[in-house]
Amino acid sequence: MVRQNDIVQYAKHQPTFTRKQMLDDFGKSGIDFSLNTVMVALRRLVQDGTLSKPVRGHYQLTDVGKRTFTPFFDDEMARLSDTLMEDFPFLRFCVWSSRDINRFSHNILNLNVIWIDVERDGMESVFSTLSNYDTSRRVFIKPTGTDYERYIIGTPSIVVRPLISESPLITDAKGRQQITIEKILVDVVADPDFFVLQGFEMLRFYHNVHDLCTVNRPKLLRYARRRNCADEITRLLTDMNNIEDYDTYR
């Protein structure tokens, strides 16, 4: 039977969710529930401040539920990372997923991409290796916005991109370097790869990230200055709590 803690744990992995979405996911996982019990639990969680309702019919964790960002990293990404570490032991790179964009987006974006951010001197070598790698994904190197529109959106892909020096990364127990939320927040603003996050969508993205995750502001702004987009990011940080004011972003 679903308990309040089950709902809180579910909410930790969703930027926002509806009751129907949650119950569908519980059903797919084989979790038994009573609709009346779920409705009572949701009401209590809203009343005690654990959940909030950003818009009618949607729920999300409040600040008390913020957590440290953990990047999505599945077996496919681990194999890619391990292959590149073996072939290029002295090259700095990180492997990350469009799942970490979709999880905070207001609308589900039609992206199924593994990005490999790598030092510029190694981009061609990594691209050549991946072009011969056993994968069903198409491999691209530094694609343009047009390339994304024509070939990447809606298609499982691997994209090799330049890794900016001083990019904030973390290292896992096996020595793999992975994305941080601060790098994501800057890159979605600075790079053309993320043109799908425009206007209100970008504002909502920032809003969702800060609602659900702890963000190191000094680290964020330091990297933003490195990418020459500190002013724009400062504006987003100021305006993200006023998402109703859409005219600002037209």
Side-chain angles (χ1 to χ4, degrees):
M1 185 64 66
V2 171
R3 300 164 299 174
Q4 286 189 189
N5 186 60
D6 296 320
I7 296 175
V8 172
Q9 292 303 313
Y10 177 83
K12 286 182 178 180
H13 300 282
Q14 310 292 332
T16 64
F17 64 95
T18 64
R19 186 182 66 196
K20 182 180 185 304
Q21 175 188 342
M22 180 181 68
L23 294 180
D24 285 345
D25 288 342
F26 283 163
K28 291 174 184 176
S29 300
I31 300 175
D32 294 327
F33 59 85
S34 157
L35 180 58
N36 183 63
T37 300
V38 169
M39 291 177 66
V40 170
L42 284 171
R43 184 165 61 250
R44 288 176 177 172
L45 289 168
V46 171
Q47 289 172 345
D48 69 19
T50 301
L51 296 180
S52 61
K53 299 178 72 172
V55 295
R56 183 178 177 85
H58 287 71
Y59 300 86
Q60 64 182 21
L61 280 178
T62 54
D63 287 353
V64 296
K66 284 189 178 182
R67 65 192 188 279
T68 300
F69 170 75
T70 301
F72 176 80
F73 201 77
D74 63 6
D75 290 343
E76 179 184 17
M77 296 168 67
R79 287 193 297 272
L80 275 170
S81 186
D82 291 346
T83 295
L84 295 177
M85 287 177 66
E86 182 177 347
D87 290 354
F88 307 101
F90 303 109
L91 196 61
R92 189 169 185 247
F93 68 91
C94 74
V95 177
W96 63 293
S97 170
S98 55
R99 293 278 292 271
D100 284 327
I101 301 295
N102 269 326
R103 68 198 277 193
F104 298 114
S105 299
H106 183 55
N107 297 306
I108 298 300
L109 308 176
N110 193 16
L111 285 174
N112 183 3
V113 179
I114 294 175
W115 285 292
I116 299 180
D117 292 2
V118 59
E119 292 174 306
R120 290 181 185 275
D121 291 347
M123 288 179 62
E124 292 288 347
S125 297
V126 167
F127 175 70
S128 178
T129 294
L130 294 177
S131 295
N132 298 308
Y133 184 76
D134 183 16
T135 178
S136 59
R137 294 175 178 268
R138 298 185 66 182
V139 183
F140 300 85
I141 182 169
K142 202 176 179 182
T144 64
T146 300
D147 291 332
Y148 270 92
E149 289 185 294
R150 290 181 177 176
Y151 311 116
I152 297 176
I153 291 178
T155 302
S157 307
I158 295 173
V159 171
V160 179
R161 306 177 340 125
L163 178 68
I164 305 301
S165 62
E166 302 178 35
S167 293
L169 302 175
I170 56 174
T171 304
D172 71 8
K174 295 188 176 181
R176 307 178 184 114
Q177 292 195 306
Q178 296 183 1
I179 199 81
T180 61
I181 195 60
E182 292 81 14
K183 175 170 163 57
I184 291 176
L185 285 171
V186 173
D187 284 359
V188 296
V189 172
D191 293 335
D193 303 70
F194 309 102
F195 67 94
V196 290
L197 293 174
Q198 294 289 333
F200 183 78
E201 191 67 42
M202 180 70 78
L203 191 62
R204 174 64 78 173
F205 184 85
Y206 261 67
H207 181 273
N208 287 341
V209 168
H210 282 81
D211 263 7
L212 292 170
C213 298
T214 56
V215 177
N216 185 320
R217 288 287 183 92
K219 182 189 293 187
L220 172 71
L221 293 174
R222 184 164 56 250
Y223 182 51
R225 288 190 290 271
R226 176 71 181 86
R227 301 297 316 269
N228 298 314
C229 59
D231 288 346
E232 185 173 357
I233 285 178
T234 299
R235 181 170 66 93
L236 282 165
L237 293 174
T238 300
D239 293 346
M240 66 184 181
N241 294 319
N242 301 313
I243 56 177
E244 296 83 4
D245 187 13
Y246 179 74
D247 287 341
T248 303
Y249 289 85
R250 281 184 172 173

